[in-house]
Amino acid sequence: MGEFTIMIDTGCDISEDYIKENNLAVMPISFQLDGASHDQGGWQEISSSEFYNKLRGGSTTSTTLINPERFKEKFSEFAERSESVLYISLSSALSGTYQNSILAIEDVKEKYPNCNICSVDSINASGGIWSVVLLAVKKRNEGATLEEAAKYLEEKKNSCFALFTVDDLHHLHRGGRVSKLQAVAGSMLGVKPLLNVSPIGKLEKTGKARGRKGALLDLTNQMKNALDSSTKSLDAVIIGHGDCEEDAKITLDLVKAAYDVKKSYIVTIGPVIGAHSGPGTIALFFDGDMTREAYEAKGL
């Protein structure tokens, strides 16, 4: 097995079991709910239903990126033990966390010039980062070095897709992720917006569907467009949800009706992403047969 630790932040929605089984390190991104600040521990004290019900009731929420000093403290702990670390960050197009990790690594290397710490921009979010982590764990288990694993992720990360639908775009607008015009246009009666994470890690509105069932079906159809027509099986599929687990199960059933899925995961979208996407979000994450650039070039 490769001798390095894989680190993520809480912009990655991933199961606690998977974290423990694969010995992942986690850096919490703080979130604020009605003025009170929370980190990973705070999220565990607040149930997903409570968090999303507060949003439904009009509570205000926001997030705070990890500053360089917090990264420096964490990376220094590994450097002092001569342990290698591969950090996989939330998309740099959505947060300054990746840039802060780079600043911290530069500082740590001044004090520990022989330390082996690397930061990879996932250009993704939520379960999309988990898709990248799956690739990193695979390479580590195959015995790859940190440098080999990081190079592999840079080559493969843009084939990790994130397709999702939200009940409305107002949460994304409040978080500055879409314009007011997009939010209003995407919230017409009975219309459910469809979005994806672009090749540079930004959110893009890709279409709209009539009704919730239509949106879930369209997610599956968009997935098919990112896969070769000869593809019959998938190594892993991740479904994320904003307090709507039954819809997540329906989406997974739609995927399984089309493909032989070797591993599947359903995960609640945590507050770092949920603060912006809102309740009722359904997201579909998988490793496609093409890059996101090639997918967008198809004009689907």
Side-chain angles (χ1 to χ4, degrees), residues 31 43 51 64 93 106 119 123 146 212 250 258-259 262:
F31 70 97
W43 168 234
F51 176 78
T64 304
E106 291 174 355
S119 183
I123 54 171
L146 183 150
R212 183 65 160 184
I250 291 170
Y259 300 100
K262 295 177 182 178

Side-chain angles (χ1 to χ4, degrees), residues 160-175:
C160 293
F161 282 75
L163 311 175
F164 62 107
T165 183
V166 296
D167 269 351
D168 65 61
L169 291 170
H170 291 301
H171 289 283
L172 289 171
H173 168 57
R174 281 194 290 269

Side-chain angles (χ1 to χ4, degrees), residues 45-57:
E45 294 164 6
I46 301 173
S47 71
S48 59
S49 293
E50 181 182 358
F51 176 78
Y52 283 110
N53 281 336
K54 283 183 176 291
L55 295 192
R56 293 183 182 104

Side-chain angles (χ1 to χ4, degrees), residues 9-14 16 26-34 36-55 59-65 90 125-127 171-172 175 177 241-243 267-279 281:
D9 57 54
T10 49
C12 173
D13 292 312
I14 188 169
E16 289 187 29
V26 182
M27 284 290 288
I29 296 175
S30 298
F31 70 97
Q32 294 72 46
L33 183 63
D34 290 331
S37 185
H38 304 272
D39 58 16
Q40 179 73 358
W43 168 234
Q44 293 168 345
E45 294 164 6
I46 301 173
S47 71
S48 59
S49 293
E50 181 182 358
F51 176 78
Y52 283 110
N53 281 336
K54 283 183 176 291
L55 295 192
S59 287
T60 58
T61 184
S62 60
T63 57
T64 304
L65 77 170
L90 174 63
S126 189
H171 289 283
L172 289 171
R177 298 309 193 260
H241 69 91
D243 197 30
V267 64
T268 302
I269 297 171
V272 172
I273 303 301
H276 304 287
S277 59
T281 298

Side-chain angles (χ1 to χ4, degrees), residues 7 27 68 70-80 83 85-87 100-102 104-105 108 112 115 117-119:
M7 179 187 291
M27 284 290 288
R70 289 181 69 193
F71 273 122
K72 187 176 177 180
E73 291 174 8
K74 191 67 174 180
F75 289 149
S76 293
E77 292 175 8
F78 286 95
E80 288 170 1
E83 296 179 10
V85 182
L86 172 59
Y87 168 56
N100 283 350
S101 74
I102 296 297
I105 290 172
V108 172
Y112 303 96
C115 71
I117 305 170
C118 180
S119 183

